[in-house]
Amino acid sequence: MPLFDLSGRRPGTAGSASARKPPWAASAYVTAVQSGAYALRPLPEPDREAVLRAHSTNVDNLRAGRWHTLLTSAFLVDRPIDPAYGVILLGVLGGAEAVWGSRRTAAVFALGHLGASLLVYGGLRATDAAKETTSAVDVGASYGLNAVVGAAVVSLPNRTARAVAAAGVLGLAVRPLMRKGRTFTDAGHLAALLLGLGAGHRGAFTRG
């Protein structure tokens, strides 16, 4: 039995995923992100970077009270999404939305994006990071995506499959932190994944 029934119903009850609306929100989100990337593309590099930096969840912005960046950063990327990543992003978010519905999928995504961004912010402030890091460009969908992946893993109906999948995604998330060129975003990806796994394990989205 899945631990993380984001549909809000017990398995086997009426109102299956087939009765839900098509996953429109995931398509709209990916389209918005890609459109924004192409809109910024014609700008000179310094101007494009300035826009991205102004909407990043970096230490400088959050310390200055620019909390709107916690939202805007999720809709911007530094370059147009390549086809392979676009398929993954749309497939994971669209698949989750088809099973769980738009609201609950958005809630998991927001948990990962907001939670990981704030945890990274707190960690960087606590370690007195260099100026290059505190003003870095930090935008994109990856934190939210990692949380959705974590929640999806916990929702697998077979206990063995859940354990194997959880170990696999955790291994993939930890591996970048073991390399010399690791960055704070690698820590953010792991944090977002753990948030998704944790929320699913506690059944945080099974009601409402």
Side-chain angles (χ1 to χ4, degrees), residues 41-131:
R41 196 175 188 181
L43 295 177
E45 180 65 26
D47 293 342
R48 183 167 66 251
E49 184 171 333
V51 172
L52 294 172
R53 200 179 302 278
H55 292 280
S56 293
T57 52
N58 57 38
V59 174
D60 287 353
N61 280 335
L62 294 180
R63 185 163 49 193
R66 303 184 188 102
W67 300 106
H68 66 276
T69 59
L70 289 169
L71 173 63
T72 58
S73 59
F75 289 86
L76 292 173
V77 288
D78 56 357
R79 62 179 62 86
I81 300 172
D82 66 72
Y85 183 70
V87 168
I88 294 172
L89 183 62
L90 186 58
V92 171
L93 298 185
E97 185 183 0
V99 176
W100 303 332
S102 303
R103 288 189 304 171
R104 288 183 171 84
T105 302
V108 180
F109 186 94
L111 172 70
H113 182 75
L114 299 176
S117 295
L118 291 173
L119 286 171
V120 168
Y121 166 65
L124 291 177
R125 287 206 64 176
T127 56
D128 194 24
K131 176 63 178 176

Side-chain angles (χ1 to χ4, degrees), residues 1 13 62-63 129 138 199 204-205:
M1 180 182 295
T13 60
L62 294 180
R63 185 163 49 193
D138 188 14
F205 295 94

Side-chain angles (χ1 to χ4, degrees), residues 109-201:
F109 186 94
L111 172 70
H113 182 75
L114 299 176
S117 295
L118 291 173
L119 286 171
V120 168
Y121 166 65
L124 291 177
R125 287 206 64 176
T127 56
D128 194 24
K131 176 63 178 176
E132 181 181 356
T133 300
T134 62
S135 63
V137 171
D138 188 14
V139 295
S142 58
Y143 290 171
L145 176 63
N146 273 267
V148 174
V149 168
V153 164
V154 181
S155 74
L156 293 174
N158 182 272
R159 180 177 298 179
T160 301
R162 286 199 302 270
V164 171
V169 295
L170 281 171
L172 290 173
V174 169
R175 184 177 180 182
L177 291 169
M178 301 295 103
R179 64 186 182 185
K180 291 184 178 180
R182 60 183 176 271
T183 67
F184 66 87
T185 57
D186 295 325
H189 294 151
L190 176 59
L193 179 66
L194 290 172
L195 286 169
L197 289 168
H201 181 70

